[in-house]
């Protein structure tokens, strides 16, 4: 009956974030701007997943703890979003060569059986890259 529709992200530079998420296959679907230019919203789609990017003229930066999986997971709230890939090893090589994954980033095996690693978007928002071959 229900399925995840979109993830909303507040960003500091809309054009920079659009270019970043295009690398992951997200494409423009809708743009809206407040008459007073205080807010821009970009809606992007990748297959059946949507990102809703909010860019406020006057924004507040996220707490530093939210930029690290180690310090953010214990805090209540939304933590990150994940993109699924078919080959985690090939994706890590590609993202490292492209500068989106830090050199030395390791693939981990999750407690629930998925292989994963994390990168950050231009604003430090955590993105998990997963290979999920589990069958339910």
């Amino acid at each position: 009956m229900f399925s995840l529709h979109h993830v909303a992200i507040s960003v500091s530079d809309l054009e920079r974030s659009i270019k970043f998420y295009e690398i992951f296959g997200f494409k423009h679907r809708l743009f809206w701007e407040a008459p007073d230019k205080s807010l821009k919203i970009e809606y992007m789609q990748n297959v059946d997943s949507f990102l809703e990017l909010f860019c406020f003229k006057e924004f507040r930066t996220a707490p530093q703890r939210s930029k690290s999986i180690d310090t953010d997971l214990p805090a209540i709230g939304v933590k990150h979003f994940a993109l699924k890939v078919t080959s985690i090893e090939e994706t890590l090589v590609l993202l490292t060569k492209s500068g989106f994954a830090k050199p030395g980033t390791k693939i981990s095996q999750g407690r629930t059986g998925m292989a994963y690693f994390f990168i950050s978007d231009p604003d430090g928002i955590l993105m998990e890259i997963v290979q999920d071959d589990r069958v339910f």
Side-chain angles (χ1 to χ4, degrees):
M1 182 171 172
F2 297 100
S3 63
L4 183 64
H5 185 264
H6 71 272
V7 173
I9 302 171
S10 291
V11 300
S12 63
D13 182 323
L14 187 60
E15 289 72 28
R16 178 181 69 176
S17 293
I18 289 169
K19 288 178 184 173
F20 177 80
Y21 287 109
E22 284 175 340
I23 293 163
F24 298 92
F26 287 91
K27 295 178 175 36
H28 164 79
R29 290 297 177 247
L30 178 73
F31 174 80
W32 179 87
E33 185 171 15
D36 67 357
K37 311 272 191 230
S38 63
L39 171 63
K40 296 176 183 176
I41 301 172
E42 175 73 22
Y43 216 69
M44 302 181 79
Q45 181 180 15
N46 178 339
V47 189
D48 60 353
S49 300
F50 293 91
L51 287 180
E52 187 175 26
L53 304 180
F54 288 83
C55 188
F56 288 87
K57 188 175 185 178
E58 295 185 29
F59 60 86
R60 294 184 304 269
T61 57
Q64 203 57 33
R65 70 162 171 73
S66 70
K67 297 181 180 183
S68 169
I69 252 330
D70 297 329
T71 56
D72 194 42
L73 277 179
I76 301 300
V78 176
K79 306 290 104 188
H80 60 268
F81 69 96
L83 299 177
K84 183 179 175 183
V85 297
T86 55
S87 172
I88 195 98
E89 293 87 4
E90 289 177 18
T91 302
L92 179 56
V93 169
L94 175 69
L95 292 178
T96 302
K97 285 181 181 177
S98 303
F100 297 114
K102 294 177 184 172
T105 297
K106 302 283 188 233
I107 296 169
S108 297
Q109 188 66 33
R111 293 179 187 112
T112 61
M114 289 187 303
Y116 70 92
F117 65 89
F118 280 90
I119 63 170
S120 297
D121 86 347
D123 286 300
I125 296 166
L126 293 170
M127 294 173 55
E128 185 178 16
I129 307 298
V130 301
Q131 181 176 331
D132 187 358
D133 298 326
R134 300 172 298 176
V135 176
F136 292 100

